[in-house]
Amino acid sequence: MSKKIIPLFIAAILVILSFMSVCSNATDIMYNTYHRRIYSETKSKNSSNDDNRGAKNSSNNEFTYETIDVRNMDEATLEKNMIEDFKNVSNFNRDIAGWINIPNVGYFPVMQCNNNSYYLSHNEYKEVEQNGAPFLDKDCDGFRNVSLIYGHHYSSGKMFGGLEKYKEQDFFFQNEFVTIYDGKYFYYYKPFSIYLFKSRTYSVQVTFDSLQEKEQYLQEIANCSTFVSDTPLGCGNSVLFLQTCDYSFYDARLVIAFKRTHTKKI
């Protein structure tokens, strides 16, 4: 092999490896299915005592897992599953605030308690678990006005790691509706902003003294966004923030802000 051909051959290999790396990053982000617990009916009836945080004791119950993948479900089937999963968890833990489906990212319970650290290390059954569970900020009044949900970020895509996909413009604008069920209503959202911030100097605001203050805040978010929807966002819109860690710089946080498009009561 001539000396001229060798550099060209090496360059070609590097280009191929680089392309494969980009493709791998896009395809290796896992989708989060949900592992529904199916409890023994007899055992469940014997578990009637609540602990001091409002969860029934499930440690002595026998159960199996059923994997729930909602990606190919129609809307009616998706909603049916969200209702069932919400009820199943609420039988054991009154901290359940809702259920969220983020298309092409994952399907999760959403917890809420008076401690924003608790569900960083506990699952929806209040068992210690490294992955934790997505949870609603303690200062949020459900999903009525401004809601902020936190979740861990794993580079594999586990938990809220899949929110990385919203950094791609096509995904941001074309992904399907995010759906939340809170036990009474289904809420549907579309993104209007994505941005990064340094957690030690900034935090997402969830309470406002007036509509004017809220409107000004949302405009400030739009001004610092990587992408922003051209759909008008009135200050009366209900807003959902999804927040997770980011590795673009030290102590970074990634936030995708959504506006509610419509609501449906069951």
Side-chain angles (χ1 to χ4, degrees):
M1 186 178 292
S2 71
K3 293 182 179 180
K4 291 183 178 180
I5 294 177
I6 291 174
L8 292 174
F9 177 75
I10 294 174
I13 293 296
L14 290 175
V15 169
I16 293 171
L17 290 175
S18 176
F19 177 77
M20 289 176 64
S21 175
V22 170
C23 292
S24 176
N25 288 338
T27 58
D28 286 352
I29 296 181
M30 65 172 285
Y31 171 80
N32 292 269
T33 55
Y34 182 68
H35 301 296
R36 178 187 293 164
R37 286 189 181 181
I38 309 298
Y39 282 92
S40 163
E41 185 175 344
T42 302
K43 294 287 184 179
S44 296
K45 288 180 179 179
N46 293 332
S47 178
S48 59
N49 294 325
D50 288 0
D51 66 17
N52 59 6
R53 292 187 52 80
K56 291 184 179 180
N57 179 9
S58 60
S59 61
N60 295 322
N61 291 324
E62 295 179 354
F63 58 84
T64 57
Y65 284 109
E66 178 185 3
T67 299
I68 306 301
D69 186 339
V70 303
R71 281 175 289 185
N72 296 317
M73 292 182 182
D74 58 34
E75 184 175 308
T77 307
L78 169 64
E79 292 174 350
K80 180 180 178 181
N81 276 272
M82 294 179 80
I83 292 170
E84 180 176 353
D85 287 318
F86 181 93
K87 287 181 177 179
N88 285 349
V89 174
S90 66
N91 286 334
F92 291 91
N93 188 353
R94 292 197 299 268
D95 285 350
I96 182 83
W99 209 277
I100 186 168
N101 179 50
I102 311 171
N104 301 303
V105 173
Y107 177 78
F108 310 96
V110 180
M111 315 309 293
Q112 186 183 32
C113 65
N114 59 6
N115 180 345
N116 274 352
S117 297
Y118 185 79
Y119 284 104
L120 289 172
S121 57
H122 291 77
N123 64 18
E124 66 270 32
Y125 295 98
K126 297 191 174 182
E127 299 163 340
V128 175
E129 185 175 315
Q130 181 181 358
N131 297 334
F135 61 95
L136 191 63
D137 187 277
K138 64 182 180 61
D139 293 325
C140 292
D141 182 18
F143 302 96
R144 293 176 180 82
N145 187 13
V146 177
S147 309
L148 169 60
I149 300 175
Y150 305 95
H152 282 304
H153 182 160
Y154 292 91
S155 57
S156 64
K158 185 183 294 184
M159 301 304 290
F160 275 10
L163 294 182
E164 280 281 322
K165 296 178 181 180
Y166 280 97
K167 290 182 177 180
E168 300 175 10
Q169 188 170 356
D170 287 346
F171 190 90
F172 179 89
F173 287 104
Q174 297 176 18
N175 197 35
E176 300 168 17
F177 288 99
V178 167
T179 307
I180 289 179
Y181 173 67
D182 71 349
K184 293 183 179 179
Y185 296 91
F186 285 98
Y187 305 109
Y188 303 86
Y189 300 85
K190 276 290 190 179
F192 74 85
S193 168
I194 179 171
Y195 62 98
L196 294 167
F197 69 87
K198 190 175 179 66
S199 69
R200 302 200 180 186
T201 59
Y202 176 89
S203 60
V204 175
Q205 185 175 342
V206 296
T207 59
F208 301 89
D209 293 330
S210 66
L211 287 177
Q212 182 179 4
E213 180 187 6
K214 178 183 174 184
E215 183 176 26
Q216 181 179 349
Y217 180 72
L218 296 177
Q219 185 58 54
E220 290 172 356
I221 288 173
N223 293 340
C224 70
S225 298
T226 305
F227 305 130
V228 61
S229 171
D230 57 3
T231 303
L233 180 70
C235 59
N237 283 109
S238 294
V239 178
L240 169 68
F241 294 100
L242 301 181
Q243 177 179 318
T244 190
C245 295
D246 192 87
Y247 308 115
S248 299
F249 52 85
Y250 176 71
D251 209 25
R253 298 293 184 270
L254 172 68
V255 176
I256 300 97
F258 298 77
K259 63 173 289 186
R260 185 180 299 169
T261 60
H262 57 290
T263 301
K264 181 166 68 175
K265 187 173 183 178
I266 62 171

